[in-house]
Amino acid sequence: MVTIDREDDGAKGRFVLYDNGQFAGEITYKWEGKAKIVLDHTHVEEAFGGKGYGKQLVMRVVEFAREQWIKIVPVCPFAKAAFDKDESIRDVRV
């Protein structure tokens, strides 16, 4: 079972993906003001590659942005590519 948890200290945070309780990857961000986050790093453990976990992390951040009415600045190459490829998530991109 795949779960994604969010950790946030008010200045920065991350979404962490677990596969059957085992750390599989993360996407990290920094707050830029109160209405914008900057995605700065996406990582999926090699053992979990090819399962679409990076995309799942990006989509969870998009869901969070929509829930919180915030915008996303994707500077991480993986996240930037995901936004460039998928028009349906550009509503939350700066």
Side-chain angles (χ1 to χ4, degrees), residues 15 26 41 63 67 75 90:
F15 287 84
E26 68 180 354
H41 180 69
E63 180 183 337
E67 291 167 353
V75 297
R90 292 187 192 154

Side-chain angles (χ1 to χ4, degrees), residues 28-75:
T28 62
Y29 62 88
K30 295 177 188 164
W31 282 98
E32 191 173 284
K34 294 184 181 192
K36 193 184 317 179
I37 58 174
V38 177
L39 298 181
D40 55 11
H41 180 69
T42 304
H43 170 76
V44 174
E45 293 289 314
E46 189 174 328
F48 296 98
K51 296 185 176 189
Y53 288 168
K55 177 71 171 180
Q56 286 184 44
L57 286 162
V58 169
M59 295 308 292
R60 180 60 190 101
V61 175
V62 168
E63 180 183 337
F64 171 73
R66 289 175 177 155
E67 291 167 353
Q68 300 299 313
W69 296 89
I70 62 173
K71 294 291 186 176
I72 297 171
V73 180
V75 297

